[in-house]
């Protein structure tokens, strides 16, 4: 064989070696890339992180679309018992950090994340949650697909004292029949979450209370204690003041519907002249089924001339008449205050 043939064979051999090497390197690079993608983008811990980031961004549809997330009630987000599963009710999540990723058995991981939950009024809660994740298959034959083995949800029991509605974040929620003096209802929550509850209306308010859900499948509770505002008391005080002042314009011994009067056995000669000496200082407290003004005292003054039936002499009665007031209060749907006798 001539020298030219040998050279061609050696060149072909080198080419084959180079191409085989490139092929091996390419396969190795692909395997390495798949490994990196599986660790960084398609791992069980990344699956959980993406869910947590959706919550942090208030992306409720994205969180609910995560495989394995199921609301216990089955209600549509933002309605019924899922009324708190809405972006405007959710607090914030910051400082998301993986604590551990433990493979329980092949294809099943127990993952713990820590975070900080934030709510209105600069409320913060440090927490961590344990998630169980299971592999359900693969995509493109190499990338694992995951699902929550236990849905990251919780149940909340909300009791509203002295009202039927409350606020969750900026959402107004009805927990019972309109006008009810006490309401109670169960709701779905996404885990983890901090939901700040309260009440704000024309005459009523409540200090914030927290619903904190950090454990999947847990049950939490909160009480929204609704109380009268100074506006409510001022309005009632003004109304009662005006009512008593009107009573004092009557020229009868017993002004109709008024809490004071004068009993005499003789004949009156002049029309009674009433005035209010002291108005009662009112308070408002919660009764069994309505707001109540406890018994408060005041005094009226009356001046009237009377003629004795015995000897016909005329004398003047000029005296203070103590009186008490107490009644129940209701707030109509249009905001009007309803006064009623106290039962």
């Amino acid at each position: 064989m001539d020298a030219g043939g040998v050279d061609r064979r050696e060149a072909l051999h080198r080419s084959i070696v180079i191409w085989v090497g490139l092929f091996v390197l390419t396969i190795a690079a692909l395997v390495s890339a798949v490994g990196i993608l599986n660790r960084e983008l398609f791992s069980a811990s990344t699956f959980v992180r993406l869910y947590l980031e959706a919550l942090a961004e208030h992306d409720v549809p994205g969180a609910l679309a995560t495989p394995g997330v199921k609301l216990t009630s089955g209600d549509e987000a933002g309605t019924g018992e899922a009324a708190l599963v809405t972006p405007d009710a959710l607090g914030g999540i910051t400082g998301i950090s993986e604590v551990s990723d433990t493979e329980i058995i092949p294809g099943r991981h127990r993952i713990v994340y820590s975070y900080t939950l934030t709510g209105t009024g600069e409320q913060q809660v440090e927490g961590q949650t344990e998630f169980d994740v299971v592999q359900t298959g693969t995509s493109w034959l190499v990338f694992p697909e995951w699902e929550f083995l236990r849905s990251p949800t919780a149940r909340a029991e909300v009791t509203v004292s002295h009202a039927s509605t409350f606020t969750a974040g900026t959402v107004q929620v009805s927990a019972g029949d309109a006008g009810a003096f006490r309401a109670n209802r169960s709701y779905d929550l996404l885990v983890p979450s901090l939901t700040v509850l309260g009440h704000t209306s024309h005459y009523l308010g409540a200090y914030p209370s927290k619903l904190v859900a950090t454990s999947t499948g847990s049950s939490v509770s909160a009480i929204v204690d609704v109380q009268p505002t100074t506006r409510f008391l001022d309005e009632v005080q003004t109304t009662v003041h005006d009512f008593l002042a009107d009573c004092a314009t009557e020229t009868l011994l017993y002004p109709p519907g008024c809490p004071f009067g004068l009993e005499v056995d003789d004949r009156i000669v002049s029309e009674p002249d009433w005035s209010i000496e002291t108005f009662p200082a009112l308070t408002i407290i919660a009764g069994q089924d309505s707001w109540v003004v406890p018994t408060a005292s005041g005094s009226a003054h009356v001046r009237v001339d009377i003629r004795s039936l015995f000897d016909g002499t005329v004398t003047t009665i000029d005296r203070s008449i103590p009186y008490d007031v107490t009644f129940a209060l209701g707030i109509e749907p249009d905001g009007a205050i309803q006064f009623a006798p106290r039962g």
Side-chain angles (χ1 to χ4, degrees):
M1 180 177 296
D2 59 20
V6 172
D7 290 340
R8 284 194 297 273
R9 289 177 59 187
E10 290 179 351
L12 179 60
H13 178 73
R14 286 195 299 271
S15 296
I16 292 173
V17 171
I18 291 172
W19 281 109
V20 169
L22 290 174
F23 178 76
V24 171
L25 290 174
T26 299
I27 295 299
L30 288 174
V31 171
S32 176
V34 168
I36 293 173
L37 288 173
N38 280 340
R39 288 193 306 272
E40 301 298 328
L41 296 180
F42 296 96
S43 67
S45 61
T46 299
F47 169 80
V48 175
R49 174 178 283 277
L50 291 175
Y51 164 76
L52 293 173
E53 289 176 350
L55 286 184
E57 295 168 1
H58 287 192
D59 179 11
V60 170
L64 292 175
T66 305
V69 178
K70 299 176 182 178
L71 299 180
T72 302
S73 68
D75 290 338
E76 184 179 350
T79 67
E81 293 186 5
L84 307 186
V85 184
T86 179
D88 292 334
L90 285 178
I93 305 177
T94 60
I96 298 170
S97 178
E98 182 182 331
V99 176
S100 63
D101 181 352
T102 304
E103 187 174 43
I104 306 300
I105 58 175
R108 179 179 171 184
H109 289 244
R110 181 158 296 163
I111 299 163
V112 178
Y113 268 90
S114 64
Y115 44 77
T116 300
L117 301 175
T118 60
T120 55
E122 299 183 354
Q123 299 190 57
Q124 289 191 347
V125 174
E126 304 291 332
Q128 64 178 31
T129 300
E130 182 181 276
F131 301 92
D132 278 354
V133 176
V134 62
Q135 185 177 351
T136 58
T138 58
S139 59
W140 299 95
L141 301 178
V142 291
F143 300 124
E145 296 176 333
W146 303 96
E147 179 179 283
F148 286 114
L149 187 62
R150 293 181 296 165
S151 178
T153 57
R155 292 288 285 174
E157 191 81 8
V158 178
T159 299
V160 185
S161 298
H162 319 133
S164 62
T165 63
F166 66 96
T167 56
T170 60
V171 177
Q172 181 88 358
V173 183
S174 175
D177 295 335
F181 199 60
R182 190 178 188 276
N184 180 271
R185 195 172 186 182
S186 297
Y187 296 93
D188 290 313
L189 294 176
L190 294 174
V191 174
S193 63
L194 164 61
T195 308
V196 179
L197 309 182
H199 180 98
T200 302
S201 57
H202 191 67
Y203 291 122
L204 305 173
Y207 288 110
S209 56
K210 296 182 293 187
L211 276 177
V212 181
T214 59
S215 299
T216 59
S218 62
S219 296
V220 297
S221 63
I223 297 175
V224 181
D225 186 18
V226 181
Q227 294 294 327
T229 63
T230 54
R231 175 184 288 175
F232 191 14
L233 181 58
D234 290 345
E235 184 70 20
V236 171
Q237 186 81 58
T238 297
T239 301
V240 172
H241 184 289
D242 293 343
F243 166 72
L244 293 172
D246 287 341
C247 283
T249 65
E250 297 288 341
T251 55
L252 301 171
L253 289 177
Y254 283 93
C258 298
F260 51 77
L262 175 67
E263 182 176 357
V264 296
D265 295 326
D266 297 313
R267 179 175 296 156
I268 63 171
V269 177
S270 65
E271 291 182 339
D273 180 20
W274 289 99
S275 62
I276 303 299
E277 287 184 330
T278 57
F279 290 93
L282 306 180
T283 57
I284 300 175
I285 63 173
Q288 187 69 23
D289 54 10
S290 69
W291 297 109
V292 170
V293 172
T295 301
S297 300
S299 66
H301 185 273
V302 65
R303 182 182 177 87
V304 64
D305 296 331
I306 63 171
R307 185 184 302 276
S308 172
L309 296 176
F310 176 70
D311 59 11
T313 58
V314 176
T315 58
T316 299
I317 295 177
D318 190 352
R319 71 175 64 160
S320 294
I321 306 294
Y323 65 87
D324 294 327
V325 296
T326 181
F327 43 86
L329 298 168
I331 301 175
E332 297 296 316
D334 62 0
I337 300 175
Q338 181 185 47
F339 293 77
R342 184 177 173 187

